[in-house]
Amino acid sequence: MLGIIFTNLIEMVETTVSYEMADEILEEANLSSDGIFTSVGHYPLEDVVEIVTLLSQKTNIPPNDLIFEFGKYLFVKLIEGHKHIVRPDADLFDLLAELDSNIHVEVLKLYPNATLPTFTVLERQNEMIDMVYQSPRQLETLASGLIQGGAEYFKIEVDVDMKVIDTSPYKVQLTVKKK
Ligand code: HEM
């Protein structure tokens, strides 16, 4: 995973829990990089898992809840750091419909070593989108957090429904509806 994911994850711990907690986790975790991340570097997914597992043990919050909250936090960071990639008139549903054809394509130009999921649109209406998330990293909870973060960013409320539809390759149907 790109370092940008790690730097934001650690920043979330620092700002929403404490700097001490972030330091403690980085010291205790058995990380390939010794806890030093650059935003364009590339690090194993297991390092994210290790950080989230430790954070979960220390806060008593289930790992999936932490990943979901991280997705919400991450959306704002990603969008603010890459405003030029998103059409200024796009709403959340446009953005989701364009993830594969535009957003993540531009991301790959910026970070050629990024490992991105694919999102295939099954159905698109004004205030609803049905799509299939495919990734061997099985991070649909992160995706659903990113979508909720996007909804907050665009000041709307949405329901996100997730259904695993295949395990090899791993595919999850995500249905997003405005409330
Ligand atoms: C709601 C909208 C979005 C969703 C649902 C989404 C989904 C995801 C997911 C689930 C991943 C983790 C990798 C995987 O699952 O295989 C990911 C990675 C990433 N996304 Fe998106 N994304 C969204 C918007 C954006 C935006 C707006 C940007 C930046 C302009 C962005 C940039 C990235 C980057 C840099 C990574 C890391 C790739 C890596 O670790 O190598 N995403 N995205």
Side-chain angles (χ1 to χ4, degrees):
M1 298 220 88
L2 269 182
I4 194 172
I5 303 291
F6 290 87
T7 49
N8 279 303
L9 177 60
I10 294 158
E11 188 189 284
M12 179 184 82
V13 179
E14 288 172 347
T15 56
T16 62
V17 188
S18 69
Y19 281 87
E20 291 71 25
M21 174 72 84
D23 283 349
E24 221 179 286
I25 288 174
L26 289 177
E27 264 169 40
E28 281 178 36
N30 195 3
L31 301 172
S32 54
S33 65
D34 281 339
I36 299 154
F37 300 104
T38 67
S39 60
V40 292
H42 202 255
Y43 310 91
L45 176 64
E46 290 72 40
D47 284 5
V48 174
V49 175
E50 174 103 16
I51 293 171
V52 170
T53 306
L54 280 172
L55 183 61
S56 167
Q57 285 163 3
K58 288 174 187 294
T59 57
N60 273 325
I61 302 172
N64 259 347
D65 292 4
L66 291 170
I67 291 172
F68 177 79
E69 284 307 316
F70 176 51
K72 279 167 63 180
Y73 181 88
L74 185 63
F75 180 86
V76 179
K77 298 289 167 177
L78 286 177
I79 205 114
E80 286 189 339
H82 305 86
K83 276 212 165 116
H84 59 286
I85 292 183
V86 185
R87 285 192 282 124
D89 59 335
D91 67 14
L92 177 68
F93 295 97
D94 295 330
L95 189 132
L96 292 173
E98 289 171 12
L99 271 177
D100 257 26
S101 57
N102 176 24
I103 315 269
H104 280 167
V105 176
E106 293 302 317
V107 167
L108 211 50
K109 287 186 196 160
L110 281 175
Y111 313 103
N113 58 355
T115 42
L116 294 160
T118 62
F119 287 94
T120 314
V121 178
L122 300 176
E123 192 186 343
R124 162 83 205 270
Q125 291 172 16
N126 232 351
E127 298 189 333
M128 140 342 161
I129 190 163
D130 200 7
M131 52 192 192
V132 174
Y133 161 85
Q134 185 179 332
S135 167
R137 287 166 290 285
Q138 310 192 353
L139 288 170
E140 68 274 17
T141 306
L142 182 73
S144 102
L146 282 159
I147 296 169
Q148 285 296 353
E152 275 176 26
Y153 181 85
F154 288 103
K155 300 191 167 45
I156 60 168
E157 283 187 39
V158 295
D159 272 327
V160 182
D161 237 45
M162 294 194 285
K163 190 167 74 185
V164 178
I165 52 171
D166 211 334
T167 46
S168 176
Y170 189 77
K171 291 183 184 172
V172 181
Q173 187 172 349
L174 288 171
T175 310
V176 187
K177 279 189 197 140
K178 191 171 171 191
K179 277 201 227 173

